[in-house]
Amino acid sequence: MERKEWPLWEVFVRSRNGLDHKHCGSVHAPDAKLALQVARDVYTRRQEGVSIWVVPAEAIVASDPDAKPELFDPAEDKIYRHPTFYKLPDEVNHM
Amino acid sequence: MYTQALDIPQPKRDEPAGRAPENAAYQAEFDAKIDAGGYIEAKDWMPEAYRRTLIRQISQHAHSEIVGMLPEGNWITRAPTLKRKAILLAKVQDEGGHGLYLYAAAETLGVSRDELVEALHSGRAKYSSIFNYPTLTWADIGVIGWLVDGAAIMNQIPLCKCSYGPYARAMVRICKEESFHQRQGYDLLLTMMRGTAEQREMVQDAVNRWWWPSIMMFGPHDKDSVHTESARWGIKRISNDDLRQKFVDATVKQAEVLGVTLPDPELKWNEARGHHDFGAIDWDEFWAVVGGHGQCNVDRLAARVEAWEDGAWVREAALEHERKRAARERRAA
């Protein structure tokens, strides 16, 4: 069957200034302009956003779920990267 | 938004390409995640049966939202006031939106939108049987909001915590919007009940027609349910009968405040159980409607297919327009 499906776009919405754009779903649209329009209609019907990004889904490069151990486990034993690792005298512990 | 536990065995169909073979180590990791109440995400390994169950359930749910626009859309031009017209438009638009959130969630499992739509249009995929009943009067629009959306909310709240992340997130968004649907319906009915005797009669007539189909929306009794893995996988967290009981208990008081009776002579409070007892459900009717023999099955599907086919030239033209624009851009570069 000839493929006539509109491409997939991932949608990111900034709910208000001061916050990051956050992934909220995806839409199908033939081009960037319509992707924005469709994303507005689908994801911001109740003022959920002040800004929208749409990104072609195929342009997103994702890490491999199977690579989770080698990617993320090395940080597990580096507890000295957290401020709570350091025990300071009570008088100055708010540092 | 209208999920229904259909629990009907599906014919085998082509499966989306599995991204990993059946594998005991992966299976153990998957089971551990489920047992710990964790989430499975789109690219994680999952058993094929889990993927298939989710594709079936999420897409049926999406189809129900989309078909659900039809019985209500039918009344947009006949809404009695501008206020009610605006409310109904917003509600129908929400249903479309809910369908789109859910199609997107289903697509993360490796099935295409076109395949999903094709499954609906060919009659292979099911949608909630409730939409195969006609909306005869304006009171039906209120009763759909109150009872049908009310039943849907009962079904949907547990899904916000289901084990598949994209589905759970779509359901959180949907549930936030759903409360408006139920409240506007009840508000519409309250307004009619404060009107003329004829209007009150219309409301009672609509309640009489929609009550049984609404409690059928929870699906077959637990003892007749065929998909038991759903509970083990954290997809279905509360059983059909428990949800139905919760809905009946909640609705009795609402009917009383509204001033209507529910059409079940056996409906009464059972002090010992701490719940309302209710009469036997006509499952023959349910299976007939699910199986395509409801009053509106043929019309609903025909309306969907017609909309899809009539829109084909727009979808193709939009793609072609973009292809030409991209080609122009390449030439200019």
Side-chain angles (χ1 to χ4, degrees):
Chain A
M1 186 177 83
E2 190 197 347
R3 189 182 162 82
K4 289 185 187 158
E5 194 170 287
W6 286 354
L8 191 66
W9 302 72
E10 296 301 326
V11 180
F12 300 80
V13 170
R14 184 200 296 287
S15 55
R16 58 185 156 85
N17 277 12
L19 296 178
D20 295 324
H21 283 77
K22 195 175 155 201
H23 182 246
C24 66
S26 39
V27 295
H28 286 272
D31 59 44
K33 191 175 157 191
L34 271 171
L36 271 179
Q37 184 69 46
V38 173
R40 187 205 71 141
D41 290 345
V42 175
Y43 292 104
T44 63
R45 290 193 301 282
R46 289 175 175 78
Q47 297 187 291
E48 290 93 337
V50 294
S51 163
I52 301 174
W53 290 348
V54 288
V55 181
E58 60 181 21
I60 291 183
V61 181
S63 63
D64 176 1
D66 287 340
K68 217 158 60 184
E70 60 260 40
L71 286 176
F72 306 112
D73 288 358
E76 198 182 345
D77 58 1
K78 297 181 178 58
I79 49 174
Y80 47 84
R81 292 185 174 180
H82 297 278
T84 47
F85 176 72
Y86 305 93
K87 299 290 165 247
L88 302 185
D90 281 351
E91 307 92 282
V92 294
N93 202 24
H94 60 276
M95 189 187 289
Chain B
M1 155 69 53
Y2 312 92
T3 89
Q4 174 180 58
L6 282 169
D7 284 1
I8 28 182
Q10 294 291 305
K12 284 260 182 244
R13 46 170 304 211
D14 291 345
E15 316 212 327
R19 274 167 297 197
E22 295 299 323
N23 178 312
Y26 282 132
Q27 179 75 50
E29 200 186 315
F30 172 87
D31 291 341
K33 255 188 240 169
I34 297 280
D35 292 344
Y39 289 99
I40 307 299
E41 292 294 344
K43 309 267 180 207
D44 292 349
W45 183 91
M46 61 187 82
E48 267 313 300
Y50 177 82
R51 184 192 305 278
R52 268 200 316 272
T53 298
L54 279 169
I55 290 176
R56 191 190 65 233
Q57 181 171 332
I58 301 173
S59 63
Q60 281 179 357
H61 194 159
H63 299 326
S64 300
E65 300 286 354
I66 298 297
V67 176
M69 297 165 81
L70 297 172
E72 292 182 297
N74 193 27
W75 278 91
I76 290 173
T77 54
R78 292 179 284 171
T81 65
L82 188 55
K83 174 182 135 182
R84 294 290 172 193
K85 194 194 290 280
I87 291 170
L88 186 56
L89 266 173
K91 181 179 190 297
V92 172
Q93 195 187 8
D94 274 357
E95 308 299 0
H98 295 177
L100 295 178
Y101 307 156
L102 289 163
Y103 280 133
E107 287 172 79
T108 64
L109 292 158
V111 61
S112 77
R113 177 78 58 97
D114 278 356
E115 286 176 77
L116 296 173
V117 169
E118 208 277 318
L120 172 68
H121 292 177
S122 69
R124 259 186 304 126
K126 302 293 178 198
Y127 56 89
S128 188
S129 54
I130 197 84
F131 302 115
N132 293 318
Y133 292 88
T135 40
L136 301 181
T137 73
W138 175 247
D140 289 40
I141 298 306
V143 171
I144 286 181
W146 173 38
L147 295 180
V148 176
D149 288 300
I153 290 171
M154 285 287 174
N155 257 331
Q156 286 162 2
I157 287 177
L159 290 173
C160 295
K161 291 200 171 122
C162 86
S163 62
Y164 188 57
Y167 191 23
R169 290 191 289 275
M171 290 313 305
V172 167
R173 187 173 276 277
I174 287 168
C175 285
K176 271 190 203 162
E177 298 178 348
E178 202 66 39
S179 177
F180 143 63
H181 296 183
Q182 192 184 18
R183 292 173 69 97
Q184 65 82 34
Y186 196 81
D187 178 73
L188 185 167
L189 296 175
L190 275 175
T191 307
M192 289 186 78
M193 291 302 285
R194 288 193 287 257
T196 64
E198 202 185 351
Q199 284 176 305
R200 282 189 288 277
E201 230 168 83
M202 274 169 76
V203 174
Q204 184 62 59
D205 169 64
V207 171
N208 292 348
R209 285 181 288 109
W210 288 93
W211 170 250
W212 290 105
S214 298
I215 66 170
M216 289 179 197
M217 283 175 68
F218 295 93
H221 287 307
D222 298 345
K223 62 177 170 51
D224 305 321
S225 235
V226 285
H227 292 289
T228 47
E229 313 103 311
S230 279
R232 184 165 58 76
W233 285 329
I235 299 172
K236 183 160 186 57
R237 296 204 185 266
I238 307 183
S239 80
N240 293 356
D241 283 331
D242 287 353
L243 287 168
R244 182 167 19 241
Q245 182 69 61
K246 213 171 148 195
F247 174 72
V248 171
D249 288 340
T251 306
V252 167
K253 178 73 187 171
Q254 294 161 2
E256 192 187 307
V257 171
L258 192 58
V260 294
T261 54
L262 298 173
D264 178 1
E266 292 173 54
L267 181 67
K268 61 172 183 299
W269 178 250
N270 180 327
E271 188 67 45
R273 288 204 311 130
H275 290 292
H276 291 85
D277 291 337
F278 50 95
I281 292 168
D282 180 358
W283 291 112
D284 291 344
E285 175 182 327
F286 175 79
W287 290 115
V289 178
V290 168
H293 305 291
Q295 293 179 63
C296 300
N297 294 57
V298 174
D299 290 351
R300 298 294 186 236
L301 261 193
R304 277 309 310 150
V305 171
E306 189 188 352
W308 180 254
E309 285 175 356
D310 288 356
W313 71 271
V314 178
R315 292 192 300 276
E316 284 163 29
L319 269 183
E320 186 58 16
H321 178 72
E322 170 59 12
R323 196 189 60 76
K324 284 187 179 161
R325 190 205 58 77
R328 264 199 310 278
E329 197 175 272
R330 274 197 303 278
R331 273 201 306 277

